Amino acid sequence: MANRVQIPTNSSALIAMIADEDTVVGFLLAGVGNVDIRRKTNYLIVDSKTTVKQIEDAFKEFTTREDIAIVLISQYVANMIRFLVDSYNKPVPAILEIPSKDHPYDPAHDSVLSRVKYLFNTESVASGRR
Amino acid sequence: MEEEYQYSGSGEELQARELDGEDQKLQHHCQLPGAEEKLVLQFMDSMHNYLSLFDEVSSALRQGWFDLASARHSMGASRINSSLLDLKFHPAATTLKITNCDGTQPHFMLRKWVSSEHESTQLEDEHVQPQDDSVKSSGLADNDEVQKERSKSLSVFGVLISPKLRASQLSFERALETLIEIANMRSSLLYSFHQLQKAEDTKQ
């Protein structure tokens, strides 16, 4: 926390996606799809057959790639790897939890809001705890 | 490095504490009148905008899913599914530019439909003013390039496509623009939160 994090500037960074088929197809229509020379994509389509390990691996891959600036992840998928999402604290790539067709956005589960909510927690302020 | 000595509660121990340059600057900044209040306001504003923008993006996504479902209904499920996605090498037409304006928080800018062949005709986020007049005068060419890129994206699902698929594309583009605003709001929110946290730690 005390160390200043280097914020990399990039003139052409990608948007990665970990979401259901319709969401990924929609954003691919908007032009965010990228396939590199090794046929690696910047998205993972999550369906009933996708394992938690695959989601974890995709999340770790996208958050360590230098060419990715934002990772869009459906909130219900983020809930499957909640410990991983909540422990992520780099400024780039930014993790955005988005709603899906069957799971509307719930601010109570958002990792960013969970992190900052202690500022509204009168108990922790009164007791002088961090 | 400045050293600060303070007595513990018992009054018997002497404790040396070093303040590094960053903490000194923060302490000085927070001692300026209204600095902390300004941070709190920035935090609250960012939080409010962050939540409001999520309502907007939910609405845009819902419209996009509905249009996609309508297109699938008219074109057939076999014509709109993930198995048709292009897995050949191709760069993204819509990318982001990250800048670090004040050296403290990242700022994201959307670059929509930038053709890999014609990088000079890029369209940037509407908040960025074009500095070169030649970009403005070639607006028509830009629109043609944008339409060409849009059609290229739609052509994955065939030549004859439902108007609902085009509508879905526009809805998802709108959702993407809102998500970039959310990303910037997230940056501002986390920055002001960390500054307030540091100020509290420094006071203690």
Side-chain angles (χ1 to χ4, degrees), chain A residues 1-15 20-39 41-43 45 68-70 72 88-102 104-105 107 110 112-113 115-120 125 128-130, chain B residues 20 22 25 43-44 47 50-51 54 57-58 61 65 68-69 72 80-83 85-100 103-108 110-113 119 150 153-154 157 165 168-169 172-173 175-176 179-180 182-183 186-187 189-190 193-194 196-198 200-201 204:
Chain A
M1 246 344 191
N3 296 328
R4 182 160 282 188
V5 179
Q6 278 282 75
I7 297 169
T9 53
N10 193 329
S11 61
S12 188
L14 303 172
I15 299 168
D20 57 276
E21 183 178 314
D22 278 6
T23 307
V24 170
V25 166
F27 282 118
L28 292 182
L29 283 174
V32 302
N34 185 85
V35 181
D36 67 11
I37 207 98
R38 290 170 296 174
R39 289 201 163 193
T41 60
N42 60 330
Y43 57 87
I45 295 176
I68 289 176
I70 289 178
L72 303 178
Y88 176 85
N89 58 8
K90 290 188 226 162
V92 176
I95 311 297
L96 300 182
E97 296 179 35
I98 58 174
S100 60
K101 282 186 305 185
D102 303 322
Y105 174 71
D110 189 305
V112 170
L113 297 179
R115 219 184 300 173
V116 305
K117 73 179 178 187
Y118 106 93
L119 271 184
F120 300 103
V125 169
R129 283 180 316 174
R130 272 176 157 217
Chain B
D20 66 16
E22 213 180 282
K25 278 185 205 164
F43 175 79
M44 300 298 284
M47 171 82 90
Y50 185 82
L51 291 168
F54 259 110
V57 89
S58 295
L61 285 172
W65 290 320
L68 195 61
R72 192 178 273 128
I80 301 183
N81 65 68
S82 55
S83 61
L85 296 176
D86 185 8
L87 290 176
K88 288 187 293 225
F89 166 67
H90 69 269
T94 296
T95 56
L96 291 173
K97 184 175 172 179
I98 311 173
T99 54
N100 190 0
T104 52
Q105 47 182 316
H107 181 79
F108 303 94
L110 190 63
R111 297 165 82 223
K112 282 169 59 172
W113 303 118
E119 291 250 347
R150 279 202 177 110
S153 186
L154 288 166
F157 301 105
L165 195 63
S168 174
Q169 185 180 49
F172 276 98
E173 279 185 45
L176 199 57
L179 282 166
I180 303 314
I182 289 176
R186 175 189 179 272
S187 279
L189 180 66
L190 289 174
F193 170 70
H194 288 142
L196 284 169
Q197 217 176 18
K198 274 187 192 173
E200 205 182 300
D201 291 344
Q204 288 171 4

Side-chain angles (χ1 to χ4, degrees), chain A residues 61-74:
Chain A
E61 188 206 324
F62 293 153
T63 50
T64 47
R65 273 173 62 169
E66 287 178 3
D67 58 344
I68 289 176
I70 289 178
V71 179
L72 303 178
I73 180 167
S74 292

